Amino acid sequence: MAIQRPKGTQDLLPGVVEKWQDLEQHIRKICREYGYEEIRTPIFEATELFQRGVGETTDIVNKEMYSFLDKGDRSITLRPEGTASVCRAYVENKLYGGPQPVKLYYMGPMFRYERPQAGRFRQFHQFGVEVLGADKPIVDAEVITLVWDLYTRLGLKGLEVHVNSVGCPTCRAEHRTKLQKFLAPRREQLCKDCQDRFERNPMRILDCKNATCQEITQGAPTTLDTLCPECSEHFRELRELLTAAGVRYKVDPRLVRGLDYYRKTAFEVLVEDIGAQSAICGGGRYDGLVQEVGGPQTPGIGFAMGVERVLAALQASGQGSDRRPKEFVMFIALGEAAQKEAFSIVSALRSKGIPASIDLLGRSLKSQLKSADKAQARFAAILGEDELSRQVVILRDLALGEQIEVPLDEVKEDLIHKWEEEV
Ligand code: HAM
């Protein structure tokens, strides 16, 4: 039996990869403009990093981590997200000792053992940004504006930005008590997961997707009801700044994110039309995380977006360019001597950055011409035994359907000239 790829993973083939590259280019460009620098951290980390960082009560840590013992008996985990790793790197490399804030971005694969479905994978890719060392609401606003700006530039339609404040440990303690009091009479009717959450992390009950839980939590106290003055002021300033920046957002008091590290700002970007998994970005402030992973008290905020979901949304809104690289010239050489000549010219063209190719299968003239057409090459350059003996190349313009003969010793310069005119 042929071996198949693991469930929840994808092969990204030519034709699709170009769409990824386009998106990556947009991302790098916008990050440069906003002053964010790239960081690359390991794909695997000590399991403890995520236990401490993401939190023991989360689904990610409880159910979804790819963890294993390595040959040295260390517990290792394939990263399920990037924020904890970036905080670890910030501490380990003493980035707190340099100029603040530190504005970073990353792109790469993440791993979660989830039930695969449309838009949900076990290996997926995130683009994320993290700002460390700044606590003012203007930082939150900059981060949200960056993602809004990116999506707008990409031409995504039907965007919804949801923002909330989940408060700090002080106001959260009050919320917890009030929420437990509210839910206690109907505790037994909550779904099994939420019964667990009741003690461990009751706030998460607010965003359970189970219909009964949703009905039970109607009218439940939200974190916004118990914000302390500082958190309340932070949230007010953020909303004003978002309005000033032209970001269309909605306050969503039931938005509590699935990771434990959030404080104050939490946000998500949702998009219509891509099926059940409509969250194309999630983020928030995590002012306690750097300390949690062993560093000095440092505020932080960031987001991560799911690359697969953004590409699906682009596809759904009719964007997503089709940009398979096209050959400029395909050499059709027949016979060993002609092949040698053609190979030398193709190599020279390639070294000048001109996309050129040559048949690698020893096919007939007819089938080589067919494949030049299929590849949408601009020119086919034909060099058979007859042409070789006359020291010419037939240059066929595949777009216009015309052909001319060019002296063999001029064809390279001629093609370089044509390429320069084209680009
Ligand atoms: P998250 O909400 O767990 O947050 O993930 C962020 C985004 O990654 C989601 O909105 C979604 O687009 C994408 N995503 C998550 N899981 C999957 C999956 N199984 N398949 C496909 N896409 C997925 C975080 O990861 C935080 N680290 C975000 C953050 C950065 N907060 C602060 N800084």
Side-chain angles (χ1 to χ4, degrees):
M1 251 224 326
I3 298 169
Q4 296 187 327
R5 60 174 190 267
K7 223 173 140 181
T9 66
Q10 281 182 296
D11 294 315
L12 302 173
L13 302 180
V16 170
V17 164
E18 291 76 16
K19 296 189 171 39
W20 285 66
Q21 290 170 340
D22 269 355
L23 178 57
E24 286 160 11
Q25 259 182 23
H26 272 103
I27 288 171
R28 290 187 193 286
K29 181 165 180 288
I30 204 166
C31 285
R32 207 175 320 119
E33 289 167 13
Y34 277 69
Y36 287 68
E37 292 177 300
E38 186 176 2
I39 182 168
R40 300 187 187 191
T41 60
I43 300 250
F44 60 84
E45 297 270 3
T47 301
E48 193 190 349
L49 174 67
F50 303 111
Q51 288 168 334
R52 264 161 57 181
V54 177
E56 299 275 13
T57 69
T58 61
D59 284 352
I60 295 180
V61 169
N62 270 315
K63 304 182 193 163
E64 297 169 0
M65 292 210 298
Y66 278 92
S67 300
F68 57 94
L69 288 181
D70 73 4
K71 292 191 196 307
D73 262 348
R74 301 169 197 92
S75 179
I76 295 292
T77 294
L78 300 184
R79 62 181 186 192
E81 61 108 49
T83 313
S85 302
V86 169
C87 290
R88 181 208 41 73
Y90 176 84
V91 175
E92 192 163 346
N93 298 286
K94 301 196 173 51
L95 300 186
Y96 50 79
Q100 304 295 303
V102 176
K103 305 201 318 184
L104 301 168
Y105 80 93
Y106 51 89
M107 285 193 260
M110 307 289 160
F111 305 86
R112 297 185 192 174
Y113 193 81
E114 293 195 84
R115 200 164 44 77
Q117 60 183 74
R120 195 201 277 154
F121 302 93
R122 290 184 173 169
Q123 174 174 328
F124 61 98
H125 296 75
Q126 283 186 342
F127 152 57
V129 312
E130 312 292 351
V131 183
L132 291 147
D135 62 0
K136 299 277 179 285
I138 192 163
V139 193
D140 311 37
E142 176 174 292
V143 161
I144 298 174
T145 307
L146 192 161
V147 75
W148 170 262
D149 192 359
L150 174 68
Y151 289 166
T152 312
R153 288 187 201 188
L154 290 172
L156 277 178
K157 304 268 157 36
L159 292 176
E160 273 190 23
V161 180
H162 288 204
V163 297
N164 191 20
S165 176
V166 293
C168 63
T170 317
C171 33
R172 277 254 277 283
E174 190 188 336
H175 177 249
R176 182 189 165 91
T177 314
K178 286 195 166 151
L179 183 61
Q180 282 176 328
K181 203 165 151 210
F182 178 91
L183 295 173
R186 298 185 68 186
R187 185 176 171 176
E188 307 303 314
Q189 290 158 268
L190 291 167
C191 74
K192 208 191 144 305
D193 279 348
C194 285
Q195 292 195 21
D196 282 352
R197 289 177 183 138
F198 187 88
E199 285 302 336
R200 282 152 43 109
N201 193 0
M203 187 175 76
R204 291 286 330 272
I205 300 175
L206 290 178
D207 93 334
C208 179
K209 304 288 173 277
N210 179 292
T212 316
C213 297
Q214 286 191 350
E215 189 258 311
I216 294 173
T217 53
Q218 283 298 318
T222 66
T223 48
L224 290 185
D225 300 328
T226 52
L227 288 186
C228 67
E230 192 199 319
C231 290
S232 182
E233 181 57 17
H234 188 99
F235 193 45
R236 185 191 62 76
E237 278 184 51
L238 167 63
R239 291 188 326 255
E240 284 180 12
L241 286 161
L242 287 178
T243 305
V247 177
R248 278 199 309 276
Y249 66 91
K250 191 153 115 180
V251 173
D252 178 357
R254 294 174 78 92
L255 173 72
V256 295
R257 308 248 312 120
L259 300 93
D260 276 356
Y261 47 61
Y262 291 113
R263 292 191 191 172
K264 296 183 177 159
T265 308
F267 66 96
E268 277 184 355
V269 184
L270 311 176
V271 70
E272 302 165 343
D273 287 344
I274 56 165
Q277 303 304 315
S278 58
I280 53 169
C281 176
R285 181 164 275 290
Y286 45 85
D287 291 350
L289 182 55
V290 170
Q291 205 170 19
E292 190 65 56
V293 301
Q297 169 50 36
T298 309
I301 173 148
F303 69 75
M305 65 172 228
V307 174
E308 288 82 357
R309 290 186 194 173
V310 170
L311 288 167
L314 282 171
Q315 188 90 13
S317 58
Q319 309 289 317
S321 59
D322 193 3
R323 192 182 57 85
R324 277 195 89 160
K326 295 192 175 68
E327 295 293 355
F328 182 65
V329 56
M330 270 180 114
F331 265 80
I332 297 174
L334 303 160
E336 209 174 300
Q339 197 178 45
K340 216 176 285 166
E341 278 295 341
F343 190 61
S344 139
I345 300 170
V346 166
S347 306
L349 292 173
R350 285 173 171 167
S351 71
K352 295 230 171 284
I354 302 174
S357 70
I358 185 165
D359 176 63
L360 301 175
L361 297 171
R363 289 175 294 189
S364 70
L365 172 66
K366 201 170 145 209
S367 82
Q368 289 194 48
L369 269 174
K370 230 168 143 183
S371 86
D373 249 344
K374 226 166 138 188
Q376 292 180 292
R378 182 76 180 79
F379 294 100
I382 305 162
L383 185 60
E385 274 162 23
D386 171 51
E387 287 79 22
L388 190 61
S389 69
R390 293 192 291 118
Q391 290 289 292
V392 294
V393 173
I394 298 174
L395 206 54
R396 185 178 291 185
D397 184 322
L398 294 172
L400 301 177
E402 295 165 357
Q403 64 181 41
I404 48 167
E405 276 191 5
V406 180
L408 180 59
D409 59 1
E410 287 174 22
V411 72
K412 187 179 88 186
E413 288 311 319
D414 193 56
L415 282 165
I416 293 174
H417 183 66
K418 286 187 161 60
W419 169 255
E420 282 165 353
E421 275 185 344
E422 199 109 330
V423 288

